[in-house]
Amino acid sequence: MTSTASLASVVPAFGLGTFRLKDEVVRHSVGQALEVGYRAIDTAQIYGNEADVGAAIAVPRDQLFLTTKIWTENLSADALIPSLERSLEALRTDHVELTLIHWPSRSVPLEDSLGALMRAREQGLTRHIGVSNFNIALLQQSIAAVGAANIATNQIELSPYLQNRAVTDFARQQGIHTTSYMTLGYGKLLADPVLADIAAAHGATPAQVALAWAMAMGYAVIPSSTQRAHLQANLDSCRLVLGAEDMQRIAALERGDRQVSPDGLAPAWD
């Protein structure tokens, strides 16, 4: 089995999320992020911004880690690769580093989607494959279908208020890396007094503390921002080292506060 450490090295610990950013807003965000030092960008077919992300890329392609996600209507065995090729055309590249199943399908067998992703990887369209918004049962099915070593990450909602320990513990046991989205809980965490106290002790911000916590847990993070100062501050969280007591205090913030669970898409959460 591929080790957790080797899988973690596949996915950069820090990147830029582009959910809900479109047109000039996403072009500006990506451009500013690249200027301050970001080298990983996360997008998705359903975001409707792949072309704008592609237009904003202004660094050598071999310096960038691009992730996109296949939408549910494109998960069938015959639709997935053509849809990924359209994504690559929009992104102005011949490959991405990582392609994920965005949400589990309720109509297409998982084996079909993962099989198509494996073929896309064999064709050089993507360097790695993975999943997103998968619970333990779906991870088990994925492992049975293609093996844990072929699942580069499970991208799930994670924050100090939603620590998803059952899923992350299972993934860790299987050697599957975890990527955290919504790490700042739609901004709710910025006003948390515990995070504010920890931040003050480190000369940091609550957002930096939340991001540093996730990275200390071994997760990748993909926060988004449209402001250069916030992009830089988020990136600076990579240098923040939290102590054991800090981590214990953040662990105690768990409250099951899930922000993303769309009807018709979300699985039965663990």
Side-chain angles (χ1 to χ4, degrees):
M1 179 186 295
T2 302
S3 70
T4 303
S6 63
L7 279 173
S9 68
V10 164
V11 182
F14 192 91
L16 177 72
T18 62
F19 176 53
R20 292 188 169 177
L21 304 183
K22 290 188 177 183
D23 305 320
E24 178 56 32
V25 173
V26 77
R27 292 196 295 272
H28 177 77
S29 175
V30 170
Q32 293 287 295
L34 293 174
E35 285 184 14
V36 301
Y38 287 62
R39 288 298 180 267
I41 300 173
D42 180 279
T43 183
Q45 293 176 342
I46 198 63
Y47 295 173
N49 64 13
E50 289 174 318
D52 290 300
V53 168
I57 294 172
V59 297
R61 182 65 184 85
D62 61 0
Q63 296 180 15
L64 194 63
F65 191 101
L66 275 179
T67 299
T68 196
K69 299 184 279 293
I70 306 295
W71 190 240
T72 53
E73 66 186 20
N74 297 323
L75 288 175
S76 66
D78 59 345
L80 191 148
I81 287 178
S83 81
L84 178 55
E85 290 173 333
R86 291 192 296 272
S87 291
L88 297 179
E89 183 178 1
L91 288 163
R92 306 185 185 188
T93 186
D94 63 358
H95 74 281
V96 287
E97 279 62 43
L98 179 62
T99 304
L100 308 177
I101 294 174
H102 200 157
W103 287 90
S105 174
R106 298 190 176 182
S107 59
V108 178
L110 183 54
E111 295 78 7
D112 289 2
S113 303
L114 287 170
L117 278 179
M118 293 284 281
R119 289 192 293 278
R121 190 179 69 180
E122 291 166 2
Q123 294 174 25
L125 304 178
T126 186
R127 298 288 188 259
H128 307 282
I129 67 172
V131 298
S132 181
N133 299 300
F134 274 32
N135 60 13
I136 291 174
L138 288 164
L139 285 177
Q140 289 172 325
Q141 292 177 41
S142 301
I143 292 167
V146 297
N150 287 309
I151 305 168
T153 199
N154 180 28
Q155 185 179 122
I156 55 175
E157 182 183 349
L158 275 172
S159 77
Y161 287 175
L162 180 72
Q163 298 185 23
N164 239 323
R165 291 175 184 142
V167 175
T168 57
D169 286 350
F170 176 80
R172 188 177 292 111
Q173 291 163 8
Q174 300 299 317
I176 297 175
H177 178 251
T178 295
T179 298
S180 164
Y181 73 80
M182 215 65 71
T183 316
L184 304 181
Y186 270 144
K188 286 184 176 183
L189 288 131
L190 304 185
D192 185 88
V194 172
L195 296 184
D197 187 55
I198 294 172
H202 287 276
T205 67
Q208 289 173 328
V209 170
L211 294 170
W213 162 81
M215 287 185 282
M217 293 293 292
Y219 313 143
V221 295
I222 45 172
S224 64
S225 180
T226 59
Q227 299 181 36
R228 188 183 184 95
H230 289 166
L231 288 164
Q232 182 66 65
N234 288 344
L235 183 60
D236 289 344
S237 67
C238 294
R239 298 197 296 268
L240 176 58
V241 179
L242 301 175
E245 182 180 350
D246 298 329
M247 296 295 288
Q248 290 170 0
R249 294 179 70 190
I250 296 171
L253 295 177
E254 166 66 41
R255 60 188 67 177
D257 188 18
R258 186 178 298 278
Q259 302 297 307
V260 181
S261 189
D263 291 340
L265 290 175
W269 301 115
D270 294 294

